[in-house]
Amino acid sequence: MRASKQAHGRKSDVGKQDLKSKIGIHISGAEGICDESEISNMSTAFIKRALTHPRGQPDNIVITAEEIIGRPAKSPLLPMKTLACTSPEKAWDIISQHMTGLGISGRALRTAYSVLGSENTMRGASLVFARQGKRAEPDRKRGVRVSRMGIDKASEKKLSRRLSALKIDTLTVREALILASKVASCNDIIAEICISDDPDYIIGYMASREFGYLRIPNIKRTGELRGGRIFFVRENAAIGKVVKYLENMPVLLEFK
Ligand code: WAQ
Ligand code: MG
């Protein structure tokens, strides 16, 4: 699902930067994998979400349903942990330390910082070369939208139980963990940083196969419309293949 609105909509709903752009402003997006019998339920839930989104009222909602041929690849969900963090400045210190430990350069971190600081949010993620720090996504306005990921029924139950015990069993957390786990399953991606573009959601995360999914409270301040996702890619990665994998390869995540 993707929901957007034209830039001349209610001014209170969007950032000043967004008003300058003539194309639709991104409000909400969502994706999943389900059985044929559940397509209708999933679509209804997605439309409901688009219509009640904190970023504003969309004037355009697009639902796409595609058949998956063959069995999706399987991959494990990342282990999860919540870090202690009291401000966006401290969040960036923590992120920088972890990323530097994975070999991500200062230049790449500066690129990430500027993308994540912009109120011109993208619908997808920015790909950043881990050493040179150059952006690699083919469309800088849109970014790369990860899709075709889901979770099997049994794993979803287990995950819900685990998250309930931590009092964080929300759709936002479940979907973010599923997305991050698919991204981490891509060999050419070293790590991810994510900040929600919802003005009220101030917990972000960083993720990698090395250290799993690390939640970061106070990654931004309440009310800020900025947000985004950065995927750091290996310097010699074939970008076309990475994009194909993220956008098209069906992956079912499993709770182990
Ligand atoms: N593929 C690539 N990028 C995406 C996708 C996707 N499917 N969905 C969202 N993005 C990018 C896009 O730039 C958005 O502006 C940005 O990420 C934020 O998206 O454990 O809700 O859907 O409590 O607002 C983190 C949960 C929630 C942390 C993240 O992201 C936790 C969230 P949002
Ligand atoms: Mg959002």
Side-chain angles (χ1 to χ4, degrees):
M1 176 277 291
R2 69 190 149 87
S4 61
K5 70 190 260 170
Q6 288 304 305
H8 51 69
R10 269 183 292 154
K11 292 197 177 178
S12 57
D13 290 341
V14 292
K16 285 197 192 97
Q17 289 297 313
D18 294 337
L19 285 169
K20 289 185 196 140
S21 120
K22 287 275 178 289
I23 57 156
I25 296 164
H26 170 66
I27 297 284
S28 169
E31 38 277 305
I33 296 179
C34 68
D35 288 331
E36 189 180 343
S37 61
E38 289 165 304
I39 294 174
S40 159
N41 281 342
M42 196 180 249
S43 307
T44 308
F46 282 170
I47 290 172
K48 219 177 245 171
R49 194 183 328 175
L51 290 173
T52 56
H53 204 274
R55 282 176 67 80
Q57 176 100 43
D59 57 22
N60 184 280
I61 302 174
V62 180
I63 296 271
T64 307
E66 293 162 316
E67 180 182 16
I68 290 174
I69 310 282
R71 284 177 185 276
K74 294 196 171 169
S75 198
L77 283 171
L78 291 172
M80 154 184 290
K81 211 168 117 182
T82 302
L83 304 177
C85 177
T86 52
S87 72
E89 292 73 28
K90 285 182 183 144
W92 196 252
D93 283 347
I94 297 170
I95 291 168
S96 301
Q97 270 178 22
H98 279 78
M99 294 300 149
T100 305
L102 294 177
I104 290 161
S105 71
R107 260 198 266 177
L109 280 168
R110 281 194 288 280
T111 303
Y113 191 84
S114 94
V115 173
L116 294 173
S118 167
E119 276 194 6
N120 273 325
T121 53
M122 300 154 70
R123 199 147 72 67
S126 175
L127 303 182
V128 176
F129 281 117
R131 244 178 292 144
Q132 279 195 328
K134 291 213 179 87
R135 289 174 66 175
E137 70 274 19
D139 180 341
R140 284 196 180 195
K141 216 158 197 165
R142 174 183 181 273
V144 176
R145 185 89 195 170
V146 188
S147 193
R148 303 199 181 181
M149 63 288 197
I151 185 168
D152 66 84
K153 280 268 156 59
S155 293
E156 190 170 30
K157 268 198 189 141
K158 281 192 220 165
L159 175 63
S160 267
R161 230 178 287 145
R162 168 86 213 286
L163 295 178
S164 287
L166 301 168
K167 298 202 170 66
I168 51 170
D169 187 27
T170 65
L171 195 62
T172 306
V173 175
R174 286 198 302 268
E175 284 186 349
L177 179 64
I178 290 168
L179 187 153
S181 300
K182 175 175 177 184
V183 172
S185 75
C186 178
N187 283 326
D188 280 324
I189 296 182
I190 303 170
E192 172 185 0
I193 305 173
C194 168
I195 301 180
S196 173
D197 56 9
D198 300 10
D200 302 329
Y201 204 91
I202 59 169
I203 304 176
Y205 70 82
M206 60 184 156
S208 81
R209 264 193 258 186
E210 299 291 318
F211 51 66
Y213 179 100
L214 301 179
R215 305 178 73 232
I216 309 172
N218 299 300
I219 199 164
K220 73 173 185 180
R221 296 197 166 79
T222 303
E224 287 179 347
L225 283 163
R226 68 192 179 94
R229 277 182 160 93
I230 306 290
F231 303 155
F232 292 108
V233 292
R234 287 183 212 291
E235 214 66 18
N236 56 359
I239 294 303
K241 277 193 190 159
V242 172
V243 172
K244 250 198 188 142
Y245 181 84
L246 295 173
E247 293 187 337
N248 296 328
M249 174 79 170
V251 177
L252 211 50
L253 285 311
E254 299 179 296
F255 189 107
K256 290 240 166 126

